[in-house]
Amino acid sequence: QQLQKDGWTITPACMTFTPATAAKRLKRATAERALSAFMERVDRVNTAPYFLGRVTRVILFGSMLNPDDADRPSDIDLAVEIVSKIADWDTHVVKNNDRAQELIMLGHQFRHSIEYAVCWQLEVFRFLKGRSRALSLAAYSIERRLVLAVPHRMLLGDDEPAALLSEDSPVP
């Protein structure tokens, strides 16, 4: 990294090191099974009344779509959009607080109030991940610009045109 007037900047050398991992690449068949199991969990989240959130969008991007990595993708990059199943926000907050209290009674400890407040969303995210090393999940609301700027495939929901991206600010 180099120090500039307003702070640090990432150099090209750093960019080549950043994505480095010691994990073995996946076999295509393993990746396809993991993706299929993930989509089954998405269906379960969306149909089970237990979950307070539902998945409205799933976007596949990254090495699974790269022809150079066709046989051995590094992981399965997925952007996921999760929204509340409860239309009334006040009711949603009450239900989330009830769920958080249930989890506390079962021994779960929240690290901070933000984790408590988004308990419903974290619960869905963790269930979708399913402890799979193969899956790399990103929140669509946070990574939207990046995901839409690279090759991607919609697995659930509607695609957004890349024109919605602001041309004023570069994709990170």
Side-chain angles (χ1 to χ4, degrees):
Q1 295 182 358
Q2 298 173 337
L3 183 59
Q4 290 189 344
K5 179 181 173 187
D6 294 334
W8 291 95
T9 185
I10 297 175
T11 64
C14 181
M15 292 300 293
T16 61
F17 181 73
T18 301
T21 178
K24 288 184 180 179
R25 289 185 163 272
L26 302 171
K27 293 181 180 175
R28 174 59 65 169
T30 302
E32 292 293 344
R33 279 193 307 274
L35 183 57
S36 177
F38 170 82
M39 292 306 292
E40 288 173 12
R41 288 191 298 275
V42 167
D43 186 52
R44 187 164 170 202
V45 163
N46 287 347
T47 57
Y50 172 81
F51 293 102
L52 300 177
R54 71 182 157 86
V55 180
T56 57
R57 195 177 307 227
V58 176
I59 303 105
L60 176 67
F61 65 102
S63 63
M64 281 284 288
L65 297 177
N66 185 345
D68 296 335
D69 295 328
D71 294 334
R72 303 287 290 203
S74 60
D75 61 0
I76 305 163
D77 295 299
L78 296 163
V80 180
E81 182 176 58
I82 303 168
V83 299
S84 176
K85 287 181 180 176
I86 303 167
D88 178 60
W89 189 251
D90 291 336
T91 304
H92 167 81
V93 170
V94 168
K95 295 273 191 189
N96 178 71
N97 291 344
D98 291 346
R99 174 65 47 77
Q101 288 301 316
E102 288 173 23
L103 293 173
I104 289 170
M105 296 298 288
L106 293 171
H108 182 79
Q109 295 182 351
F110 293 97
R111 293 179 285 182
H112 43 73
S113 59
I114 294 172
E115 194 174 83
Y116 184 97
V118 296
C119 168
W120 67 278
Q121 199 170 26
L122 292 175
E123 192 171 42
V124 170
F125 216 78
R126 287 182 186 124
F127 179 77
L128 292 175
K129 176 79 169 142
R131 298 182 184 225
S132 174
R133 177 194 75 80
L135 297 176
S136 178
L137 300 185
Y140 179 74
S141 59
I142 297 169
E143 302 293 345
R144 176 180 163 269
R145 289 182 55 244
L146 171 69
V147 170
L148 295 179
V150 299
H152 61 279
R153 184 170 74 212
M154 298 301 296
L155 302 179
L156 176 68
D158 296 324
D159 200 359
E160 293 185 67
L164 292 178
L165 299 174
S166 170
E167 294 178 15
D168 298 335
S169 54
V171 174

